[in-house]
Amino acid sequence: MRVLGIESSCDETAVAIVNERRERIAELVLSQLKEHRPFGGIVPEIAARSHLNQLDRLIVQALAEAGLAPKDLDAIAATAGPGLIGGVLVGVTMAKAMALALNRPFLAINHLEGHALSARLDPGVEFPYLLLLVSGGHCQLLRVEAVGRYRRLGTTVDDAAGEAFDKAAKMLGLGYPGGPAIEQAASRAAAAGTDPKGYGLPRPMLGRPGCDFSFSGLKTALRQRIQELTGGGTLPERERDGLALAFQETIAAVLADRTSHALEMGAGGNRDLTALVVAGGVAANRRIRQALDQVARAKGLTLVAPPAALCTDNAAMIAWAGIERLRAAAPGSTQGSAQGDGLDFAARPRWPLDPTAPRAAGAGVKA
Ligand code: KG4
Ligand code: ZN
């Protein structure tokens, strides 16, 4: 079985062909970073137009690299939400048109399900596992039980972790995307022997019951420290790097604390888990991985992270989620039948993986 996957929900146009044996036969990711950089963040209209300009070319290229004709594909899977709706519509419309022309199933994939199952594509973990999904748009702890069965244990009440990194980097004048820039600045400060505690940043939600996240208070505190240290002038580089270190340490501590709580939650304290999995762009951060590794070990588990190319947004995870769904035809699955989804399936800007999850304690909860 070979499935074509399309991902266009954010600022990467991605196409991949994956087979049942977990082989990624073709894998293309086109970043729009350069188009958005002048604006210091993602501009949805620019993103949608760029997906439209690039997608058909990428599909032709993926088929050529795989040495396949369109009729060799067994199904067409596309991210159908959650995400920036203009971009999602581009991918979904393309997938539907191909499915109709080729007479193959169309699979409307939840982007979060793609992330949730990516560790089964590589390295290949077994159910059930705990997933910490940390990216620019998502910050959630999910118990992944089976295909189509996800229990959300915690989510953010305001910003996602990656979003917090990006906003902090902007405030510190470190550019976009913020995560890698903050990690570099933090390494410089650590090498210079800076004590991150000296900056007195608060550690939101630390030790609180449950495992929800909140990062907006931290952002406000960072803004105040910057103002204090700037004193009307510019922020000295040493202070800028020190603040980046303090910020990264705080996020690592909060993620570790919340994940540790999640591992203790639920009937039986989640003792049946096969692994702790971390995915999403923020999973690339070495300090965060180190903190999570300690949490996993303390609970007798191993920390598993898919390779970087499968952590950040990609289409292989979308194709793979399609394969998992076709294989499972899961009883009780929340996501349509093994025959695929109808061509009238409407793209969804919001699409929680666990619609039964209680709202997080706080304001506007992200899906
Ligand atoms: O998964 P991803 O590529 O796209 C989304 O679905 O959002 O994640 C991008 C996010 C950005 O916010 C970026 O700043 C963050 O991941 N990120 C990092 C690192 N590399 C990327 N955050 C912290 N440390 C990093 N090394
Ligand atoms: Zn994502």
Side-chain angles (χ1 to χ4, degrees), residues 232-252:
T234 50
L235 185 66
E237 274 179 27
R238 199 170 49 85
E239 305 289 15
R240 181 197 64 193
D241 292 356
L243 278 169
L245 176 64
F247 185 82
Q248 178 178 273
E249 284 300 311
T250 305
I251 300 250

Side-chain angles (χ1 to χ4, degrees), residues 64-226:
E65 282 182 17
L68 296 172
K71 66 171 174 35
D72 298 324
L73 299 169
D74 294 291
I76 317 293
T79 294
L84 300 174
I85 199 65
V88 173
L89 275 169
V90 171
V92 162
T93 308
M94 175 67 84
K96 285 178 179 175
M98 285 185 73
L100 184 64
L102 297 167
N103 193 23
R104 298 285 189 275
F106 157 68
L107 297 159
I109 303 293
N110 183 321
H111 179 84
L112 300 173
E113 179 167 53
H115 279 300
L117 298 177
S118 61
R120 287 171 55 75
L121 171 57
D122 187 0
V125 293
E126 299 290 332
F127 297 123
Y129 51 90
L130 185 79
L131 171 75
L132 172 64
L133 173 52
V134 268
S135 69
H138 332 288
C139 188
Q140 308 194 342
L141 278 155
L142 292 155
R143 207 183 124 93
V144 183
E145 313 254 3
V147 180
R149 276 180 38 214
Y150 310 95
R151 198 143 64 78
R152 198 184 75 197
L153 302 177
T155 188
T156 181
V157 300
D158 38 59
D159 293 347
E163 195 178 354
F165 268 106
D166 294 335
K167 288 178 178 171
K170 202 169 180 177
M171 283 189 249
L172 291 167
L174 285 167
Y176 172 83
I182 291 208
E183 185 169 12
Q184 271 175 19
S187 309
R188 286 193 295 269
T194 307
D195 176 12
K197 292 202 186 74
Y199 290 93
L201 290 182
R203 301 196 152 186
M205 312 295 257
L206 211 76
R208 287 240 203 120
C211 56
D212 286 331
F213 305 85
S214 166
F215 297 109
S216 71
L218 175 61
K219 198 175 57 189
T220 309
L222 179 70
R223 184 175 295 118
Q224 280 165 357
R225 294 290 175 286
I226 293 173

Side-chain angles (χ1 to χ4, degrees), residues 15-28:
V15 172
I17 301 170
V18 177
N19 70 18
E20 233 178 328
R21 294 194 303 278
R22 298 197 184 128
E23 286 161 340
R24 285 135 69 186
I25 308 170
E27 211 172 7
L28 299 168

